[in-house]
Amino acid sequence: VTVENAVRNLLSQSVCSKEDIKEVVKSYADVAKETQKEVIEQATLAQSSKKVVESVVRQMDADKVEREKRRTNVVVLSAPEPAKDSSSEDKQKEDKNFCTSVLGIPAKDIKVCWRAGKADESNPNYRRPLVIRLKDEELVIEWTKDGKGHKTESGHWINRDLCAADRKANFLSREERRKRQQKN
């Protein structure tokens, strides 16, 4: 049964012309077309929203895993680089010696330490962050002054090792705090 036939059957009691029927069918088609567009737009929006939500959930899961990996790490900034011509074992020993002698972290509390990033040969003053994995999270809290980070007497900063999302959140928080302080 076509729409035109259905309309004819409904309007059979009244007198109407073929043009009237075509006008009703055309109006119905326009309404149906608009409704279809709305339904398609809503379905597309729902589908794209679902993809966005799935992407955000995946990123949150990845950040959670990254946080778990870093929970017993601290980062020391501006620590001197070991000699370039040393072997990797000597460099690690030199870094561990720096942790114990300069920073005062007991050797028994250190699992391992390493440098983050690549050495910048073009800038001899560049110092890569020194990452130290401690025995447990309580030591991280102790050495970072309850996770806030602090500057040691030797002038080196010790902070928690944060994932990229946490570093960005901390940065935005500091920026917001600076803006509020400038207003006051």
Side-chain angles (χ1 to χ4, degrees):
V1 177
T2 65
V3 174
E4 189 174 340
N5 289 337
V7 170
R8 252 195 208 133
N9 289 339
L10 289 173
L11 299 175
S12 62
Q13 295 93 359
S14 65
V15 179
C16 62
S17 67
K18 192 173 186 178
E19 287 76 32
D20 291 339
I21 293 173
K22 285 183 180 179
E23 186 65 33
V24 168
V25 168
K26 185 178 175 187
S27 297
Y28 172 78
D30 289 342
V31 169
K33 182 178 175 183
E34 288 302 315
T35 305
Q36 273 183 331
K37 281 184 182 177
E38 287 179 25
V39 167
I40 289 171
E41 286 173 2
Q42 289 175 355
T44 303
L45 181 64
Q47 192 174 24
S48 65
S49 296
K50 182 179 178 183
K51 288 179 183 177
V52 168
V53 167
E54 288 172 351
S55 172
V56 168
V57 166
R58 274 194 304 276
Q59 186 61 46
M60 288 173 63
D61 288 344
D63 289 343
K64 184 178 179 181
V65 169
E66 191 70 20
R67 269 185 211 98
E68 186 60 29
K69 285 181 184 176
R70 296 172 181 248
R71 72 183 175 83
T72 59
N73 295 351
V74 294
V75 177
V76 179
L77 303 177
S78 70
E81 288 280 341
K84 293 178 187 175
D85 56 347
S86 302
S87 69
S88 62
E89 287 179 9
D90 289 342
K91 288 179 182 180
Q92 279 195 329
K93 286 178 185 175
E94 198 173 322
D95 282 339
K96 194 165 186 174
N97 184 41
F98 170 81
C99 295
T100 56
S101 63
V102 177
L103 300 177
I105 301 173
K108 65 178 179 58
D109 292 344
I110 300 173
K111 278 189 177 179
V112 67
C113 60
W114 68 93
R115 294 289 176 153
K118 292 184 179 179
D120 187 0
E121 300 294 329
S122 64
N123 184 359
N125 295 327
Y126 177 72
R127 295 178 174 186
R128 296 176 292 159
L130 176 62
V131 181
I132 307 166
R133 176 158 296 141
L134 299 174
K135 295 285 184 193
D136 57 45
E137 200 167 0
E138 292 165 6
L139 290 168
V140 171
I141 292 169
E142 176 186 333
W143 282 101
T144 59
K145 303 296 183 205
D146 297 323
K148 296 177 186 176
H150 79 284
K151 193 171 189 176
T152 64
E153 292 175 7
S154 60
H156 300 91
W157 281 95
I158 300 178
N159 297 306
R160 288 187 82 107
D161 187 13
L162 302 175
C163 67
D166 292 342
R167 285 193 303 268
K168 185 176 182 178
N170 281 359
F171 172 77
L172 294 174
S173 171
R174 286 192 309 272
E175 287 294 307
E176 191 63 34
R177 189 170 47 248
R178 284 185 195 127
K179 287 178 185 176
R180 281 195 312 266
Q181 288 173 350
Q182 287 175 352
K183 287 181 183 179
N184 294 335

